[in-house]
Amino acid sequence: MTPATHSPESKEQSARSRLPLVLITNLCVAVFLLLAVPVIHKGQQGFVLHAATNNDYVEAVIGSGEADFMQNALRTTEIARAMAHDDHVATMAVMQLTVAFLAFLFFFNSLYLFRLHRRTQQTPIGPGS
């Protein structure tokens, strides 16, 4: 055997040492994704207060006697602002579910890889098999 060729044992050994690294990486990604869910939720709560139209403010400006086009513009602007915040809150809720689902997938991928790794370690490798 020349130094440039690789023996089957070295390939098998590198594959066996690589798999635990993949498992650890998958688990770390899953944990980081799960830790992101409360951070996203906390950020979402900051926008919930702004997602409602401030009707008192709109009525006070309308009652001030300014021109009609200003009143309509104010009403439209206030409603648009509240709707934009509401859309942002909804987007963050979907983001939380997506991140949790991805973490779930990473955990099950890790479980599958672990079972596959254990199965390959249990099968004897030799000239008779």
Side-chain angles (χ1 to χ4, degrees):
M1 189 183 277
T2 64
T5 61
H6 299 292
S7 68
E9 292 98 22
S10 66
K11 286 183 183 179
E12 180 186 326
Q13 189 65 8
S14 67
R16 285 186 180 194
S17 64
R18 239 190 343 227
L19 189 60
L21 181 63
V22 172
L23 288 173
I24 291 169
T25 304
N26 270 349
L27 290 174
C28 287
V29 169
V31 168
F32 284 130
L33 286 172
L34 285 177
L35 291 175
V37 172
V39 173
I40 295 169
H41 182 72
K42 184 178 178 185
Q44 178 191 27
Q45 296 307 310
F47 288 97
V48 169
L49 297 174
H50 304 292
T53 305
N54 187 347
N55 290 328
D56 295 334
Y57 175 70
V58 172
E59 295 302 324
V61 172
I62 289 173
S64 70
E66 298 202 15
D68 287 338
F69 72 93
M70 290 297 287
Q71 293 171 5
N72 290 334
L74 175 64
R75 184 180 297 262
T76 304
T77 303
E78 176 63 18
I79 291 171
R81 181 204 57 78
M83 287 176 59
H85 279 91
D86 190 45
D87 287 345
H88 190 69
V89 168
T91 302
M92 291 180 86
V94 170
M95 189 185 318
Q96 288 177 55
L97 291 174
T98 304
V99 168
F101 180 70
L102 283 173
F104 179 75
L105 287 178
F106 269 97
F107 275 124
F108 273 103
N109 186 31
S110 298
L111 179 64
Y112 173 75
L113 288 174
F114 180 70
R115 290 181 66 204
L116 187 67
H117 180 68
R118 286 188 58 196
R119 192 177 301 153
T120 58
Q121 284 183 341
Q122 290 175 355
T123 57
I125 299 174
S129 50

